[in-house]
Amino acid sequence: MSGLPVKRLTVLYDAQCSLCVHLRSWLLRQRQLVPLDLVPAGSVEAQRRYPRLDHARTMREITVIGDQGQVYAGPAAWVVCLWALAEYRPKAHWLATPAGSPFVRVTMLAAAKYRDVTATGAAAVAAPCDDRCSVPG
């Protein structure tokens, strides 16, 4: 990796997930310090841009790619999205600390649970959520 600053980020989001689509819209409404390109995960466009990326994984967890080839997934991807936004950059710096990381973990677990419930129906609340719930740490 080069020491060059990140000038643009691509956020791969699940276009079939209502929460992901809502967050995409929210990100687009925010003032961005680093421009965000939002591309559906697993799409032809995502595969064209990033042919060596594990696209099945990007459908299970948020993935952000920097213009210098950096790949952020899971908790780091959530934080880097906030870091790109003018109003949330200070919060992103805090979330990247040991004090803030439990909040990222809880947020990711809640989002995974929501995705699981909305994808399978409310009756399946007790069903396992495969590796979408697996958050390191």
Side-chain angles (χ1 to χ4, degrees), residues 28-110:
L28 289 173
R29 290 191 309 269
Q30 305 305 307
R31 189 165 66 86
Q32 300 172 4
L33 297 173
V34 176
L36 299 174
D37 295 327
L38 289 109
V39 175
S43 68
V44 171
E45 178 64 13
Q47 292 177 28
R48 182 191 68 74
R49 287 185 184 200
Y50 310 106
R52 295 177 22 209
L53 194 62
D54 180 351
H55 291 279
R57 183 175 180 188
T58 68
M59 294 298 295
R60 294 186 305 270
E61 75 177 344
I62 182 173
T63 304
V64 178
I65 298 102
D67 59 343
Q68 299 296 315
Q70 311 90 325
V71 177
Y72 307 92
W78 285 99
V79 173
V80 80
C81 283
L82 292 175
W83 174 84
L85 305 176
E87 187 175 341
Y88 295 93
R89 184 165 279 185
K91 181 62 76 179
H93 284 290
W94 181 77
L95 289 169
T97 69
S101 65
F103 293 94
V104 177
R105 179 176 165 72
V106 168
T107 301
M108 289 194 63
L109 289 172

